[in-house]
Amino acid sequence: MKFYRTDLHIHTALSPCGDLDMSPSTIVNLALKRGLDIIGITDHNSTKQCKMVWELAKKTGLVVIPGCEMTSREEVHCLGLFEDFESLAIFQNFLDNHLTLIPNNISIFGFQVVVDENENVLEEIDNYLGASLDVSIEEIEQKVHELSGIFIPAHVDRPRNSLFSQLGFIPPELKIDALQISKLAIEKAVRQRYGITPEITLVKFSDSHYADDLGKTYTLFEMEEPSFKELRKALLGEAGRSVRIPE
Ligand SMILES: [Zn+2]
Ligand SMILES: [Zn+2]
């Protein structure tokens, strides 16, 4: 068993608020340089940049988990992470069917581009990806789990766009695999403030939108190997595996 530095919440230039410098090659190079073992690509309401990051990392030791940060109808941000690109494609279809259609205003929200390994623009997304989906957080969770994905409400301690800011509590029907706390949060304080019981796993990820932030925030996953299946087992605490937020 080994500890793997894991950050499963990273934005690319595809996110309207993501810096244009966050290209696939920059993300892979910086993640390696700064000692991360596993990263998750989670742009707002789109999965279209995941494959390129995964392709570039394939030849290196870095493991890339494809995913997305969804905005529910209640304006709650939540992460979905997937084992393979077949599930990801089905999930992209779900996003396409449910995104509220608002044209992106570049001067206000910024560019939303899919780029290749040389940072050539392959596609520009016209609809604003920061809009919400027309489905509830429960419906999103069910879709992620139907595709055998991992579902984690994002930055739950934040005063906006979080489970606690929007709903005030964890809906009893919602099947969460963990809760993500934001980069400056202290686990103990968040547990106390929101009454989060010990059987709920907390993870801390960077939510990086800028290159500077990458690698500074991570959670240690103690596992047999750096894979999606092992991540799931670690979140469940199966057979000696564990998840630990560094002090
Ligand atoms: Zn968010
Ligand atoms: Zn985010």
Side-chain angles (χ1 to χ4, degrees):
M1 219 84 88
K2 202 189 135 185
F3 283 102
Y4 294 92
R5 287 186 181 202
T6 304
D7 179 4
L8 299 176
H9 188 166
I10 295 173
H11 293 269
T12 77
L14 173 56
S15 291
C17 42
D19 196 67
L20 274 180
D21 287 345
M22 291 291 269
S23 68
S25 57
T26 297
I27 290 172
V28 170
N29 290 337
L30 285 178
L32 285 166
K33 199 168 124 192
R34 296 177 184 167
L36 292 175
D37 299 301
I38 307 173
I39 61 168
I41 298 302
T42 54
D43 283 305
H44 289 292
N45 297 318
S46 177
T47 67
K48 290 189 173 179
Q49 191 68 82
C50 296
K51 189 73 177 275
M52 187 56 67
V53 184
W54 179 86
E55 286 279 354
L56 289 180
K58 209 164 54 171
K59 308 152 204 153
T60 73
L62 182 69
V63 171
V64 173
I65 306 295
C68 184
E69 180 175 21
M70 297 75 77
T71 307
S72 75
R73 187 164 60 204
E74 309 89 345
E75 305 268 346
V76 178
H77 287 188
C78 44
L79 305 174
L81 299 150
F82 299 92
E83 184 167 12
D84 53 55
F85 287 96
E86 290 74 37
S87 311
L88 195 75
I90 297 169
F91 195 71
Q92 180 60 49
N93 200 32
F94 173 83
L95 296 169
D96 289 338
N97 288 335
H98 292 290
L99 182 67
T100 306
L101 301 182
I102 300 169
N104 184 35
N105 185 332
I106 293 163
S107 59
I108 300 175
F109 302 124
F111 288 99
Q112 305 179 141
V113 286
V114 180
V115 301
D116 69 8
E117 65 269 39
N118 299 317
E119 299 171 19
N120 299 311
V121 174
L122 298 174
E123 187 182 351
E124 192 171 345
I125 310 294
D126 296 329
N127 292 311
Y128 176 50
L129 293 173
S132 56
L133 303 173
D134 64 1
V135 278
S136 68
I137 187 164
E138 285 91 348
E139 287 169 285
I140 295 172
E141 175 263 301
Q142 282 159 18
K143 189 67 191 179
V144 171
H145 283 141
E146 189 187 301
L147 295 166
S148 304
I150 291 174
F151 177 81
I152 303 177
H155 43 67
V156 295
D157 53 295
R158 277 207 352 210
R160 276 171 48 197
N161 296 123
S162 78
L163 191 63
F164 294 124
S165 75
Q166 303 310 106
L167 303 181
F169 64 101
I170 305 172
E173 300 296 305
L174 195 68
K175 294 187 180 69
I176 54 172
D177 296 304
L179 294 176
Q180 182 233 313
I181 60 173
S182 58
K183 62 181 175 183
L184 297 176
I186 294 160
E187 174 171 3
K188 207 174 150 192
V190 175
R191 282 194 186 276
Q192 263 175 8
R193 176 160 181 204
Y194 298 104
I196 302 167
T197 51
E199 69 270 14
I200 295 176
T201 304
L202 294 194
V203 288
K204 184 186 271 195
F205 300 140
S206 72
D207 196 2
S208 291
H209 289 74
Y210 296 91
D212 257 6
D213 296 330
L214 206 74
K216 290 183 183 159
T217 309
Y218 55 86
T219 292
L220 292 167
F221 279 68
E222 187 181 19
M223 316 182 280
E224 289 285 354
E225 56 173 31
S227 68
F228 183 88
K229 282 195 173 66
E230 284 285 315
L231 286 175
R232 178 187 294 294
K233 286 182 183 176
L235 287 172
L236 292 167
E238 253 181 59
R241 291 166 184 80
S242 69
V243 172
R244 186 161 64 80
I245 297 173
E247 293 288 307

